[in-house]
Amino acid sequence: MTTASSHSSPISLHHIAFDDTIRPVIGELAALSLTNPSDSDYAGFIRHSPSLVAIAARCTQRTAELERFIELAQVSAPYLVRDHVATPHALAILNEEATLALALLPARTAADRHAQREHGFALLRAVKELDDPTLEPLARAAFGIETLSATTAGAVATNALAHAVSRYRELASAQSAATVHRVEDAASLRAFVVRVPDFEALYRDVGVHARAAARLAAMLVDDDLGRQQHDDIAMALEGAQLQTRIALLRIAVAPAHLEIERWSRLAGEVIPHPTPKVTATLTLAARMGESLRDMLAAHPLA
């Protein structure tokens, strides 16, 4: 993975060698989505769950590029900043997706738990700067952040050590379709911002995954299931439930989505008894989508 620090930094947007080639820009939630999955696909998603360490690292890279754009914009002509305003929009959208993925996905390893916790604290620091007291409890609930105690402090320290030891190994082995981009990738980032997701397809995906989850849950009450079969079905059920939530989050965080009541109604139908963590994550996604829409309205594309 390349980072901004590995390149000599131009002194303004005037000096950037922009790449006009349009390449795919894929967010974390899109990269996690399964298309027409079988039960074994759902189970495989859990067995080979994504690395939260890698997601957090990609988020850090995008944040660095966003900060780099802001620094360059401050010393660039206003017309040039307007011409490339899609870049910060795209990086913001991609990072919101990453934040939601880190809140939603289960942490399977100590290193993942550390990456998840650290990102949660980064989100807390960010929302404290905003004039909205409702965001901090949402962030805490979405990431399960509690006050440290004598009991939890040891686990936190152990997770941090595991993260430090295994981070580079995990990054090297992680595989994901999610992409990272630099300020130079302006054409690709603009195409990503102007592309309107197929919301009807996403709504259909919610239904497909929710029906699969209901079917798998019903199968688990069969007393004739063997231990291995029961475990396989339980794993597939977890995968189907996660895919339902991923599809819901993709809809909510997309700035072009305006059918808020429809989304809320569907979320209530397919997740009838959400945990406080899931409720907070869904609410945070809706708030993020609203914020991204406001940002686009305040700084429209040239």
Side-chain angles (χ1 to χ4, degrees):
M1 180 186 303
T2 57
T3 63
S5 61
S6 63
H7 299 264
S8 58
S9 296
I11 58 176
S12 77
L13 291 173
H14 297 270
H15 302 88
I16 292 283
F18 290 108
D19 186 351
D20 292 332
T21 305
I22 297 178
R23 298 181 175 85
V25 176
I26 303 173
E28 300 294 342
L29 294 174
L32 295 170
S33 300
L34 298 179
T35 302
N36 299 320
S38 64
D39 289 354
S40 61
D41 291 330
Y42 284 129
F45 180 69
I46 300 302
R47 286 193 180 94
H48 309 288
S49 56
S51 166
L52 303 194
V53 174
I55 294 175
R58 288 191 291 270
C59 193
T60 297
Q61 188 273 347
R62 298 186 193 108
T63 298
E65 284 301 300
L66 179 56
E67 292 172 350
R68 178 172 171 242
F69 178 88
I70 293 170
E71 291 174 358
L72 292 168
Q74 289 173 343
V75 292
S76 301
Y79 80 88
L80 198 53
V81 178
R82 287 194 299 271
D83 286 348
H84 294 284
V85 73
T87 293
H89 286 320
L91 293 170
I93 294 168
L94 290 168
N95 265 4
E96 300 290 43
E97 279 205 28
T99 293
L100 293 171
L102 287 165
L104 177 70
L105 294 173
R108 303 296 185 186
T109 67
D112 276 347
R113 286 190 288 274
H114 179 76
Q116 189 178 59
R117 180 180 174 82
E118 286 300 295
H119 193 82
F121 275 111
L123 178 62
L124 278 177
R125 289 191 293 271
V127 301
K128 283 180 179 178
E129 297 179 2
L130 303 175
D131 186 23
D132 188 341
T134 66
L135 289 174
E136 183 177 345
L138 274 179
R140 284 189 176 277
F143 279 86
I145 295 175
E146 300 176 355
T147 303
L148 275 182
S149 65
T151 304
T152 59
V156 169
T158 300
N159 295 342
L161 179 60
H163 182 269
V165 170
S166 64
R167 178 175 182 269
Y168 293 103
R169 182 175 68 247
E170 290 205 19
L171 289 177
S173 63
Q175 295 182 348
S176 174
T179 56
V180 292
H181 301 272
R182 304 184 68 238
V183 170
E184 284 78 358
D185 301 326
S188 298
L189 294 170
R190 181 184 178 86
F192 171 71
V193 173
V194 301
R195 185 177 70 239
V196 177
D198 186 343
F199 289 117
E200 290 307 316
L202 287 172
Y203 273 107
R204 286 195 297 273
D205 285 345
V206 174
V208 167
H209 300 315
R211 287 190 293 274
R215 174 176 54 79
L216 289 162
M219 291 171 65
L220 280 179
V221 302
D222 187 342
D223 293 334
D224 294 331
L225 292 176
R227 182 185 179 88
Q228 185 60 54
Q229 190 178 13
H230 182 279
D231 290 347
D232 289 343
I233 293 172
M235 196 167 291
L237 171 59
E238 184 181 355
Q241 291 172 332
L242 271 177
Q243 286 295 318
T244 303
R245 294 162 192 176
I246 288 167
L248 283 169
L249 293 177
R250 289 183 67 187
I251 295 170
V253 80
H257 181 253
L258 298 174
E259 295 181 288
I260 309 303
E261 290 185 6
R262 177 188 182 187
W263 178 85
S264 298
R265 187 168 56 251
L266 180 62
E269 292 171 359
V270 299
I271 312 178
H273 305 292
T275 64
K277 180 178 173 67
V278 170
T279 297
T281 303
L282 290 170
T283 305
L284 197 59
R287 298 288 294 277
M288 285 175 172
E290 181 183 355
S291 177
L292 290 168
R293 282 190 293 276
D294 290 344
M295 184 176 70
L296 279 163
H299 303 283
L301 304 189

